[in-house]
Amino acid sequence: MTSDSALYEWMSALDKYGLTIIDNMPDDSDAGVQTAMRVDYLRQTNFGMTFDVISEKSPINLAYTSLSLPLHTDLPNQELPPGYQFLHFLSNESIGGESTFVDGLKVLEGLREEQPEYFRLLAEYAIPFRFHDTAHDIREHPPVINLDNFGNIVEIKYNAHLADVFDLPSDVMYDYYLAYRELMARLKDSRYKIELKLAAGQMVVFDNRRVLHGRNAFD
């Protein structure tokens, strides 16, 4: 929090690996925000600047339940999805609730090498994502794989709970579903998954445009 060189070392590791864990966080709900602001400004979404991941009686999102969360990236329905995300564990004494992570970049590199036609379909054709509740209806139409002008992978947008009905051309639909199913299978491959039971006082920070995250069910 006071050393620019330590901040640089941390941010370099986060850029390289896409995921880092910070230990010895204060038992303070503002500590995560203060740490994030050491990096840069925070961005607001329809869920607010920050939010508490707890089980609620009337949830507007699957995250606010005790159910398992399949691997996903957050808010692909937004024009600009969140970049780095900060999850500060103030308490995690429940049974279950392990966090899961997959490096989407590694998965996509393998897909491009072994199934180039599937990779092309996922990078060229856009699909609809949508979140709506009583106050919001937010939609975006991007491809699952985002490439830069040099063909480098810069982003994956994958969230089965926010994906709307595919509206692809009829001559593409069948092959696209095969490509999408292949990606789903690769994301579930245990070779790519990290599973951690994070404890109070830890904060996981990850690149939401590269690393998919999920959670096991908890009691």
Side-chain angles (χ1 to χ4, degrees):
M1 294 300 290
T2 59
S3 167
D4 288 345
S5 61
L7 177 67
Y8 176 79
E9 183 178 348
W10 168 44
M11 293 306 299
S12 296
L14 184 56
D15 180 62
K16 180 177 181 179
Y17 298 111
L19 182 147
T20 60
I21 296 174
I22 300 175
D23 293 315
N24 303 315
M25 289 288 293
D27 185 15
D28 182 345
S29 59
D30 292 328
V33 171
Q34 293 168 0
T35 307
M37 291 181 68
R38 270 292 278 151
V39 179
D40 213 327
Y41 64 90
L42 308 188
R43 246 183 344 107
Q44 179 128 345
T45 73
N46 54 291
F47 295 101
M49 188 76 74
T50 65
F51 55 91
D52 295 325
V53 181
I54 57 175
S55 181
E56 297 182 351
K57 291 183 178 180
S58 300
I60 63 170
N61 188 284
L62 191 62
Y64 300 146
T65 72
S66 61
L67 302 174
S68 63
L69 287 176
L71 289 161
H72 63 284
T73 61
D74 277 352
L75 306 187
N77 63 300
Q78 300 269 2
E79 181 180 8
L80 186 63
Y84 291 127
Q85 300 211 128
F86 299 73
L87 297 181
H88 178 198
F89 286 77
L90 293 169
S91 175
N92 193 14
E93 298 175 358
S94 59
I95 300 171
E98 295 85 3
S99 299
T100 55
F101 301 96
V102 162
D103 187 352
L105 179 59
K106 180 67 174 177
V107 173
L108 293 181
E109 286 175 341
L111 179 66
R112 175 153 60 179
E113 181 179 350
E114 298 166 16
Q115 298 278 4
E117 180 60 17
Y118 286 170
F119 183 93
R120 182 190 69 82
L121 289 169
L122 294 170
E124 289 187 5
Y125 289 92
I127 60 172
F129 292 94
R130 180 188 184 192
F131 172 87
H132 59 103
D133 60 11
T134 56
H136 305 91
D137 191 345
I138 307 171
R139 317 180 192 199
E140 189 63 23
H141 224 97
V144 170
I145 303 171
N146 183 15
L147 306 176
D148 65 16
N149 293 330
F150 302 99
N152 299 310
I153 302 167
V154 296
E155 184 176 18
I156 179 172
K157 295 182 177 178
Y158 181 87
N159 190 316
H161 291 278
L162 294 181
D164 210 342
V165 178
F166 290 0
D167 53 358
L168 298 163
S170 58
D171 61 332
V172 173
M173 186 76 77
Y174 181 79
D175 289 337
Y176 188 91
Y177 264 104
L178 293 179
Y180 195 79
R181 185 174 67 176
E182 175 67 20
L183 176 60
M184 290 179 70
R186 287 172 179 260
L187 291 172
K188 294 178 180 180
D189 191 324
S190 60
R191 293 178 299 169
Y192 301 115
K193 185 171 76 170
I194 297 174
E195 184 172 294
L196 304 166
K197 182 65 182 274
L198 293 155
Q202 290 186 309
M203 182 166 69
V204 61
V205 185
F206 62 93
D207 183 351
N208 179 62
R209 300 179 195 172
R210 167 183 172 180
V211 175
L212 295 90
H213 64 286
R215 180 193 68 212
N216 294 340
F218 66 90
D219 184 359

